[in-house]
Amino acid sequence: MIKLGSLTYQQLKEKFRIKSPWDLIIIFVLNILITIPIFIIAHHNFITLDWAHHVDRVLLFLVILIAIQFILRAMRRVTLISVILYLIFLLFGTLSGKYNFKTVFEDYRSMMYTMSEDPYPQDIIITKLLPFPNKSKILDAVEYQNPKIRNFSIMAIDKHFKDVKGYHDYFTIIQSFAIFKEINSRWNYVSDPKGHDYIAKATESLQYLSGDCDDHSVFMAACIKSIGGTTRLIHTKGHIYPELLIGNKKDLEHINYAIKKVLFQTESKGKPINYHIDERGNIWLNLDYTAKYPGGPFMNEEILGALTLD
């Protein structure tokens, strides 16, 4: 008989054993705690089948739940040790700033909200890129290094969403939304001279916050680029508008929740988040002057080209 101090192995095992029905209750609670983060990781890495009512994700959750349940039932004699190890793991993650209790909650909250309030994807499929109109003039007009553009951007950031908490990993995107809010709430549409395509420099548009769609796109792109964001301009048959790089599917879940439940609740109430997915799987939100919130509706014109300002 193996002894540990004055206790035999059998006596030690009995001390860690939890009697019924508490062992079943603890196993169920522990199963939920383990299943949720595993499901989040699987959700972000497994291919989405786009079944109705997210049945594929429901089945994925149930498979993980049942598998974990079998494992925990097989380990029921060391359930208490499993609970302690799990709590130590999350406590270590909390102290080290990595995956922790708060992260699990935020990931799960954003994922579940996105599953119930789907963003509206539109894939960009461009078989033949056309030359972007006035490309050199537009690039020259995006004066993101001009101090006046930088100062306007900082003013907007100081004015909007400065006190928003919980989005440290997305602070540049949140600041870009502040710039979007300031520009789109003040922008006055003014047409170009008849028969001429006038491209205003960002500093020109700054003076009166006025101009047509390409002037708005240039100014928006310059301001966001001045604070480290990544934008691109989309060219359609009769329109140009800016888009903001969000990231991947997991990033979209967090940003979708932020827009609809934190930053633009009134403007986006009951409306979908519209975005494009490029050939690399990157997600871009619409920032057109016609939109009242990031990801507002597109003008639904055929896309002829894209100019990324990275």
Side-chain angles (χ1 to χ4, degrees), residues 35-141:
T35 298
I36 288 175
I38 293 177
F39 171 61
I40 291 171
I41 294 170
H43 167 68
H44 290 147
N45 289 280
F46 286 11
I47 296 174
T48 301
L49 300 179
D50 292 324
W51 291 355
H53 307 295
H54 302 285
V55 173
D56 59 323
R57 269 16 195 181
V58 173
L59 291 176
L60 177 62
F61 181 86
L62 291 176
V63 168
I64 296 172
L65 185 74
I66 293 170
I68 298 297
Q69 183 72 12
F70 275 119
I71 293 171
L72 291 178
R73 288 293 295 269
M75 298 172 57
R76 64 190 301 171
R77 289 187 178 275
V78 289
T79 299
L80 183 58
I81 296 176
S82 301
V83 173
I84 293 172
L85 290 176
Y86 181 81
L87 294 176
I88 289 174
F89 171 76
L90 281 183
L91 181 61
F92 174 77
T94 301
L95 295 176
S96 64
K98 297 179 180 178
Y99 209 70
N100 52 51
F101 292 98
K102 185 178 180 181
T103 308
V104 171
F105 169 74
E106 290 178 351
D107 281 357
Y108 188 72
R109 178 196 64 186
S110 300
M111 179 191 65
M112 294 305 295
Y113 182 78
T114 296
M115 288 176 67
S116 62
E117 297 286 338
D118 275 344
Y120 186 68
Q122 295 186 9
D123 293 346
I124 290 186
I125 302 176
I126 305 174
T127 56
K128 184 177 180 181
L129 285 175
L130 298 178
F132 204 90
N134 300 308
K135 180 178 178 179
S136 60
K137 288 184 178 180
I138 287 175
L139 291 175
D140 288 340

Side-chain angles (χ1 to χ4, degrees), residues 25-41:
I25 295 173
I26 291 176
I27 284 175
F28 177 76
V29 172
L30 186 59
N31 188 3
I32 296 297
L33 291 174
I34 294 174
T35 298
I36 288 175
I38 293 177
F39 171 61
I40 291 171
I41 294 170

Side-chain angles (χ1 to χ4, degrees), residues 34-273:
I34 294 174
T35 298
I36 288 175
I38 293 177
F39 171 61
I40 291 171
I41 294 170
H43 167 68
H44 290 147
N45 289 280
F46 286 11
I47 296 174
T48 301
L49 300 179
D50 292 324
W51 291 355
H53 307 295
H54 302 285
V55 173
D56 59 323
R57 269 16 195 181
V58 173
L59 291 176
L60 177 62
F61 181 86
L62 291 176
V63 168
I64 296 172
L65 185 74
I66 293 170
I68 298 297
Q69 183 72 12
F70 275 119
I71 293 171
L72 291 178
R73 288 293 295 269
M75 298 172 57
R76 64 190 301 171
R77 289 187 178 275
V78 289
T79 299
L80 183 58
I81 296 176
S82 301
V83 173
I84 293 172
L85 290 176
Y86 181 81
L87 294 176
I88 289 174
F89 171 76
L90 281 183
L91 181 61
F92 174 77
T94 301
L95 295 176
S96 64
K98 297 179 180 178
Y99 209 70
N100 52 51
F101 292 98
K102 185 178 180 181
T103 308
V104 171
F105 169 74
E106 290 178 351
D107 281 357
Y108 188 72
R109 178 196 64 186
S110 300
M111 179 191 65
M112 294 305 295
Y113 182 78
T114 296
M115 288 176 67
S116 62
E117 297 286 338
D118 275 344
Y120 186 68
Q122 295 186 9
D123 293 346
I124 290 186
I125 302 176
I126 305 174
T127 56
K128 184 177 180 181
L129 285 175
L130 298 178
F132 204 90
N134 300 308
K135 180 178 178 179
S136 60
K137 288 184 178 180
I138 287 175
L139 291 175
D140 288 340
V142 181
E143 304 168 298
Y144 68 95
Q145 291 184 318
N146 190 294
K148 293 180 180 178
I149 299 300
R150 168 81 175 179
N151 289 341
F152 174 86
S153 302
I154 292 173
M155 177 276 295
I157 291 168
D158 188 65
K159 183 176 178 180
H160 304 289
F161 313 140
K162 186 170 63 173
D163 298 324
V164 170
K165 307 295 184 183
Y167 289 92
H168 177 74
D169 291 340
Y170 303 101
F171 74 94
T172 299
I173 293 177
I174 301 299
Q175 290 176 347
S176 298
F177 288 167
I179 292 170
F180 165 88
K181 185 176 181 70
E182 182 65 17
I183 293 176
N184 278 26
S185 64
R186 297 171 57 188
W187 189 259
N188 182 36
Y189 186 90
V190 178
S191 299
D192 285 342
K194 189 173 182 179
H196 296 278
D197 194 7
Y198 183 80
I199 306 295
K201 290 184 178 293
T203 48
E204 292 180 64
S205 299
L206 172 61
Q207 188 170 3
Y208 295 108
L209 288 181
S210 299
D212 67 355
C213 61
D214 49 58
D215 300 329
H216 170 271
S217 299
V218 164
F219 184 56
M220 182 76 74
C223 290
I224 291 177
K225 190 171 173 60
S226 75
I227 57 104
T230 300
T231 59
R232 69 177 181 180
L233 306 186
I234 297 296
H235 171 223
T236 69
K237 187 175 181 180
H239 188 49
I240 292 178
Y241 60 91
E243 291 187 329
L244 175 66
L245 177 63
I246 295 302
N248 56 29
K249 181 179 177 180
K250 177 182 177 181
D251 300 320
L252 178 62
E253 289 178 354
H254 288 281
I255 295 304
N256 179 48
Y257 186 90
I259 291 172
K260 304 216 53 172
K261 301 296 288 183
V262 181
L263 307 176
F264 295 89
Q265 294 184 62
T266 302
E267 299 90 339
S268 66
K269 186 176 181 180
K271 301 172 184 177
I273 300 297

